[in-house]
Amino acid sequence: MQNKKSGTIVITGKPNVGKSTFINQIAKNKIAICSPKPQTTRDKIYYIYHDNDSNIAFIDTPGFHIAKNKLDEYLNEQIKTSYKYASIFVLMIDLTREIDEEDLKVINLIKSIRNRKLILALNKKDKVNNEIINKYIDQINKLIEIDKTLVISAKNNNDINEILKVIKDYLQYDEILIDDNLSDDFIITETIREEIIFNCYKEIPYSTLVKIQDKSYDKIKNIFTIYANIIVEKNSQKPILVGKNGSMIKKIGTNVRKKLSNYFDCKIVLHLFVIVENDWRNNKKIFLNN
């Protein structure tokens, strides 16, 4: 009996190019929050894909971006750490956005990794014409050697299956996988942050950090009780997140409970508290202890 092919794949690119949409399509279940706003993925997200002939560990990294504070520096370090595990990279480029310094930083990091395969995924093909697509292909091929170029829409299952086929062609047999299962805390905090992102505007979503303070599960009653703090940077942000008569935090809590109830298959009792921690993005003791 032939062994399965296996390998670790890093999905990379600058923020908001479709990486989370891609990984969610692979997973057939939402494991990374997707938003039209940048910098939504703050941690490396692992997904182990299995089928009849392969085992593939996908790592969805935070989008590489120009560092403006210590949190940004930490996110960029997360990306660099992920790179060393990869045998194959999928570099995702948004065809509706120009190649800029952020793209170049990602490309240069990939170039520093030896013995790797690189798949270029040019995303949002439905938004542009062939002339623009060809321009990007020429531009990127001058910057880095590409093993395979695919023009895709990350929302299209057929395109995702084509990337999977190409990845499998490059895989080896019995390569060691990175297996880092998603924790309950990760699922909870990402779900809360997703609701903040979709319901709040301006600087609020990216000035927030969610930290689990306590959680417990009652097996007899099938009730999962969660206490979580939503940390903001300024006193002026707290009333916006709480809302008039608590309307915003109530809305966020209601939506989060519904999603977590479906995920954990139990009743969710959720207690959310809004806490002010001035300039938390420059305080590693806060955002690293999450």
Side-chain angles (χ1 to χ4, degrees):
M1 181 177 178
Q2 192 178 48
N3 294 329
K4 289 186 177 184
K5 284 187 170 184
S6 57
T8 298
I9 317 301
V10 165
I11 314 299
T12 192
K14 68 184 177 185
N16 200 30
V17 293
K19 298 186 300 296
S20 293
T21 300
F22 170 82
I23 204 73
N24 289 342
Q25 289 284 74
I26 294 287
K28 303 298 182 184
N29 184 24
K30 185 156 62 177
I31 59 171
I33 60 175
C34 295
S35 164
K37 304 173 184 179
Q39 200 183 324
T40 55
T41 304
R42 286 190 184 157
D43 292 286
K44 299 186 296 292
I45 298 174
Y46 298 82
Y47 174 71
I48 308 299
Y49 171 90
H50 301 284
D51 62 17
N52 291 332
D53 55 8
S54 64
N55 296 315
I56 307 172
F58 285 96
I59 304 178
D60 175 21
T61 61
F64 198 97
H65 50 276
I66 307 303
K68 297 178 181 178
N69 50 54
K70 290 183 180 179
L71 176 63
D72 291 345
E73 293 172 1
Y74 168 71
L75 296 177
N76 288 342
E77 286 300 318
Q78 288 281 82
I79 300 172
K80 294 176 184 178
T81 301
S82 296
Y83 280 17
K84 68 182 181 181
Y85 296 121
S87 54
I88 301 172
F89 288 84
V90 176
L91 171 61
M92 191 162 290
I93 299 289
D94 184 340
L95 287 166
T96 67
R97 298 160 66 187
E98 292 296 325
I99 300 297
D100 59 18
E101 185 179 353
E102 290 176 310
D103 293 298
L104 295 178
K105 283 184 177 292
V106 174
I107 288 170
N108 287 332
L109 278 172
I110 296 173
K111 287 169 71 173
S112 70
I113 307 297
R114 296 181 179 180
N115 301 320
R116 48 81 184 147
K117 294 292 185 180
L118 177 58
I119 299 169
L120 173 64
L122 297 173
N123 190 27
K124 302 185 183 179
K125 66 180 182 181
D126 53 312
K127 304 291 185 181
V128 299
N129 56 37
N130 287 334
E131 182 179 352
I132 292 176
I133 292 171
N134 290 330
K135 181 193 77 171
Y136 276 85
I137 291 173
D138 291 340
Q139 187 175 359
I140 296 169
N141 271 282
K142 291 176 182 177
L143 297 172
I144 189 170
E145 183 177 348
I146 305 294
D147 293 286
K148 184 71 174 181
T149 297
L150 297 173
V151 184
I152 68 163
S153 169
K155 297 178 180 180
N156 187 308
N157 283 330
N158 290 331
D159 290 346
I160 299 305
N161 289 333
E162 179 63 22
I163 294 180
L164 273 174
K165 181 179 181 298
V166 173
I167 287 172
K168 290 178 184 181
D169 288 341
Y170 290 138
L171 290 177
Q172 304 299 316
Y173 289 99
D174 295 329
E175 184 174 326
I176 297 174
L177 295 184
I178 302 302
D179 191 352
D180 193 343
N181 294 324
L182 297 177
S183 68
D184 289 351
D185 282 9
F186 180 85
I187 296 295
I188 295 165
T189 57
E190 287 295 275
T191 302
I192 295 170
R193 285 207 312 118
E194 179 183 48
E195 284 304 314
I196 294 171
I197 287 169
F198 279 103
N199 288 286
C200 299
Y201 303 96
K202 296 183 179 179
E203 81 281 4
I204 296 296
Y206 310 109
S207 299
T208 59
L209 175 70
V210 180
K211 302 186 74 171
I212 305 300
Q213 297 305 302
D214 191 22
K215 64 182 188 294
S216 61
Y217 175 63
D218 187 325
K219 293 182 179 180
I220 297 175
K221 296 181 180 179
N222 195 29
I223 296 176
F224 194 2
T225 302
I226 303 162
Y227 292 83
N229 287 346
I230 301 173
I231 299 172
V232 296
E233 287 187 310
K234 302 175 183 177
N235 289 319
S236 60
Q237 294 168 340
K238 183 173 180 178
I240 297 173
L241 191 54
V242 172
K244 185 177 181 181
N245 297 322
S247 58
M248 178 58 73
I249 200 68
K250 182 179 179 180
K251 180 180 180 181
I252 290 170
T254 299
N255 292 341
V256 169
R257 277 191 291 273
K258 289 179 181 178
K259 292 181 178 180
L260 293 182
S261 178
N262 290 331
Y263 185 87
F264 292 110
D265 193 24
C266 66
K267 181 179 179 180
I268 301 293
V269 176
L270 178 66
H271 302 275
L272 295 176
F273 306 91
V274 182
I275 307 295
V276 179
E277 292 280 1
N278 293 323
D279 197 26
W280 68 260
R281 284 183 286 187
N282 279 309
N283 189 339
K284 287 186 177 181
K285 290 182 179 179
I286 294 176
F287 65 75
L288 288 182
N289 185 26
N290 188 29

Coordinates of all heavy atoms in Angstrom, one line a residue, residues 84-117:
K84 N 9.9 28.9 8.1 CA 10.9 27.9 8.2 C 10.3 26.5 8.2 O 11.0 25.5 7.9 CB 11.7 28.1 9.5 CG 11.0 27.8 10.8 CD 11.9 28.0 12.0 CE 11.2 27.7 13.3 NZ 12.0 28.0 14.5
Y85 N 9.0 26.4 8.4 CA 8.4 25.1 8.4 C 7.9 24.6 7.0 O 7.6 23.5 6.8 CB 7.1 25.1 9.3 CG 7.4 25.3 10.7 CD1 6.8 26.3 11.4 CD2 8.2 24.4 11.4 CE1 7.1 26.6 12.8 CE2 8.5 24.6 12.8 CZ 7.9 25.7 13.4 OH 8.1 25.9 14.8
A86 N 7.9 25.5 6.0 CA 7.3 25.3 4.8 C 8.1 24.6 3.7 O 9.3 24.9 3.6 CB 6.8 26.6 4.2
S87 N 7.5 23.7 3.0 CA 8.1 23.1 1.8 C 7.6 23.8 0.6 O 8.2 23.7 -0.5 CB 7.9 21.6 1.8 OG 6.5 21.3 1.9
I88 N 6.3 24.3 0.7 CA 5.7 25.0 -0.4 C 5.1 26.3 0.1 O 4.5 26.3 1.1 CB 4.6 24.1 -1.0 CG1 5.2 22.8 -1.5 CG2 3.9 24.8 -2.2 CD1 4.1 21.8 -2.0
F89 N 5.3 27.3 -0.7 CA 4.6 28.6 -0.4 C 3.5 28.9 -1.4 O 3.7 28.6 -2.6 CB 5.6 29.8 -0.5 CG 6.6 29.8 0.7 CD1 7.8 29.0 0.7 CD2 6.4 30.6 1.8 CE1 8.7 29.0 1.7 CE2 7.3 30.6 2.8 CZ 8.4 29.8 2.8
V90 N 2.4 29.4 -1.0 CA 1.4 30.0 -1.9 C 1.5 31.5 -1.6 O 1.0 32.0 -0.6 CB 0.0 29.4 -1.6 CG1 -1.0 30.1 -2.5 CG2 0.0 27.9 -1.9
L91 N 2.0 32.3 -2.6 CA 2.1 33.7 -2.5 C 0.8 34.3 -3.1 O 0.6 34.1 -4.3 CB 3.3 34.3 -3.2 CG 3.4 35.8 -3.3 CD1 3.4 36.5 -2.0 CD2 4.6 36.2 -4.1
M92 N 0.0 34.9 -2.3 CA -1.3 35.5 -2.9 C -1.1 37.0 -3.1 O -0.7 37.7 -2.2 CB -2.4 35.2 -1.9 CG -3.8 35.5 -2.5 SD -5.2 34.7 -1.6 CE -4.9 33.0 -2.0
I93 N -1.5 37.3 -4.3 CA -1.5 38.7 -4.7 C -2.9 39.2 -5.2 O -3.5 38.4 -5.9 CB -0.5 38.9 -5.9 CG1 1.0 38.5 -5.5 CG2 -0.5 40.4 -6.5 CD1 1.6 39.5 -4.6
D94 N -3.3 40.3 -4.8 CA -4.6 40.9 -5.1 C -4.4 41.7 -6.4 O -3.7 42.7 -6.5 CB -5.0 41.8 -4.0 CG -6.4 42.4 -4.3 OD1 -6.9 42.4 -5.4 OD2 -7.0 42.9 -3.3
L95 N -5.1 41.2 -7.5 CA -5.0 41.8 -8.8 C -5.5 43.2 -8.9 O -5.3 43.9 -9.9 CB -5.6 40.9 -9.9 CG -4.9 39.6 -10.2 CD1 -5.8 38.7 -11.0 CD2 -3.6 39.9 -11.0
T96 N -6.3 43.6 -7.9 CA -6.9 45.0 -7.9 C -6.0 46.0 -7.1 O -6.4 47.2 -7.0 CB -8.3 45.0 -7.3 OG1 -8.2 44.7 -5.8 CG2 -9.2 43.9 -7.9
R97 N -4.8 45.5 -6.6 CA -4.0 46.4 -5.9 C -2.5 46.4 -6.4 O -2.1 45.3 -6.8 CB -3.9 46.0 -4.4 CG -5.3 46.2 -3.7 CD -5.4 45.4 -2.4 NE -4.5 45.8 -1.4 CZ -4.3 45.2 -0.2 NH1 -4.9 44.1 0.0 NH2 -3.5 45.7 0.7
E98 N -1.9 47.5 -6.5 CA -0.6 47.6 -7.0 C 0.5 46.9 -6.2 O 0.3 46.8 -4.9 CB -0.1 49.1 -7.2 CG -0.9 49.8 -8.3 CD -0.7 49.3 -9.7 OE1 0.4 48.8 -10.0 OE2 -1.7 49.3 -10.5
I99 N 1.5 46.3 -6.8 CA 2.6 45.8 -6.0 C 3.3 46.9 -5.3 O 3.7 47.9 -5.9 CB 3.6 45.1 -7.0 CG1 3.0 44.0 -7.8 CG2 4.8 44.6 -6.2 CD1 2.5 42.9 -6.9
D100 N 3.5 46.7 -4.0 CA 4.1 47.8 -3.2 C 5.2 47.3 -2.2 O 5.6 46.1 -2.4 CB 3.0 48.6 -2.4 CG 2.2 47.7 -1.5 OD1 2.7 46.6 -1.1 OD2 1.1 48.1 -1.0
E101 N 5.6 48.1 -1.3 CA 6.7 47.7 -0.4 C 6.3 46.5 0.5 O 7.2 45.6 0.7 CB 7.0 48.9 0.6 CG 8.2 48.6 1.4 CD 8.5 49.8 2.3 OE1 7.9 50.9 2.2 OE2 9.4 49.7 3.2
E102 N 5.1 46.4 0.8 CA 4.6 45.2 1.6 C 4.8 43.9 0.8 O 5.3 42.9 1.3 CB 3.2 45.4 2.1 CG 3.0 46.4 3.2 CD 1.6 46.7 3.6 OE1 0.8 46.9 2.7 OE2 1.3 46.7 4.8
D103 N 4.4 43.9 -0.4 CA 4.6 42.8 -1.3 C 6.1 42.4 -1.4 O 6.5 41.2 -1.4 CB 4.0 43.0 -2.7 CG 2.5 43.2 -2.7 OD1 1.8 42.2 -2.4 OD2 2.0 44.3 -3.0
L104 N 6.9 43.4 -1.6 CA 8.3 43.2 -1.8 C 9.0 42.6 -0.6 O 9.9 41.8 -0.7 CB 9.0 44.5 -2.2 CG 8.6 45.2 -3.5 CD1 9.3 46.5 -3.7 CD2 8.9 44.2 -4.7
K105 N 8.5 43.0 0.6 CA 9.1 42.4 1.8 C 8.7 40.9 1.9 O 9.6 40.1 2.3 CB 8.5 43.2 3.0 CG 9.2 44.5 3.3 CD 8.7 45.1 4.6 CE 9.4 46.4 4.9 NZ 10.8 46.2 5.2
V106 N 7.5 40.6 1.5 CA 7.1 39.2 1.6 C 7.9 38.4 0.5 O 8.5 37.3 0.8 CB 5.6 39.0 1.3 CG1 5.3 37.5 1.1 CG2 4.8 39.6 2.4
I107 N 8.1 38.9 -0.7 CA 8.8 38.2 -1.7 C 10.3 38.0 -1.3 O 10.9 37.0 -1.5 CB 8.7 39.1 -3.0 CG1 7.3 38.9 -3.6 CG2 9.8 38.6 -4.1 CD1 7.0 39.9 -4.7
N108 N 10.9 39.1 -0.7 CA 12.3 38.9 -0.3 C 12.4 37.9 0.8 O 13.5 37.2 0.9 CB 12.8 40.3 0.2 CG 13.0 41.2 -1.0 OD1 13.3 40.8 -2.1 ND2 12.9 42.5 -0.7
L109 N 11.5 37.8 1.7 CA 11.5 36.7 2.7 C 11.4 35.3 2.1 O 12.2 34.4 2.5 CB 10.4 36.9 3.7 CG 10.6 38.0 4.8 CD1 9.3 38.2 5.6 CD2 11.7 37.5 5.8
I110 N 10.6 35.2 1.2 CA 10.5 33.9 0.5 C 11.8 33.5 -0.2 O 12.2 32.4 -0.2 CB 9.3 33.9 -0.5 CG1 8.0 34.1 0.2 CG2 9.3 32.6 -1.3 CD1 6.8 34.3 -0.7
K111 N 12.4 34.5 -0.9 CA 13.6 34.3 -1.6 C 14.7 33.8 -0.7 O 15.7 33.2 -1.1 CB 14.1 35.6 -2.3 CG 13.2 35.9 -3.5 CD 13.5 37.3 -4.0 CE 14.8 37.4 -4.7 NZ 15.0 38.8 -5.3
S112 N 14.6 34.2 0.6 CA 15.7 33.8 1.6 C 15.6 32.3 2.0 O 16.5 31.8 2.7 CB 15.7 34.7 2.8 OG 14.5 34.4 3.6
I113 N 14.5 31.7 1.7 CA 14.2 30.3 2.1 C 14.7 29.4 0.9 O 14.3 29.5 -0.2 CB 12.7 30.0 2.3 CG1 12.2 31.0 3.4 CG2 12.5 28.6 2.8 CD1 12.8 31.0 4.7
R114 N 15.6 28.4 1.3 CA 16.1 27.5 0.3 C 15.2 26.3 0.1 O 14.4 25.9 1.0 CB 17.5 27.0 0.7 CG 18.5 28.2 0.7 CD 19.9 27.6 1.1 NE 20.9 28.7 1.1 CZ 22.2 28.5 1.4 NH1 22.6 27.3 1.7 NH2 23.0 29.5 1.4
N115 N 15.3 25.6 -1.0 CA 14.7 24.3 -1.3 C 13.2 24.4 -1.0 O 12.6 23.6 -0.3 CB 15.3 23.2 -0.4 CG 16.7 23.1 -0.6 OD1 17.2 23.1 -1.7 ND2 17.5 22.9 0.5
R116 N 12.6 25.4 -1.6 CA 11.1 25.5 -1.5 C 10.5 25.7 -2.9 O 11.1 26.1 -3.8 CB 10.7 26.7 -0.6 CG 11.4 28.0 -0.9 CD 10.8 28.8 -2.1 NE 11.6 30.0 -2.5 CZ 11.7 30.4 -3.7 NH1 11.1 29.8 -4.7 NH2 12.3 31.5 -4.0
K117 N 9.2 25.3 -3.0 CA 8.5 25.5 -4.2 C 7.6 26.7 -3.9 O 7.1 27.0 -2.8 CB 7.6 24.3 -4.5 CG 8.4 23.1 -4.9 CD 9.1 23.2 -6.2 CE 9.8 21.9 -6.6 NZ 10.5 22.1 -7.9

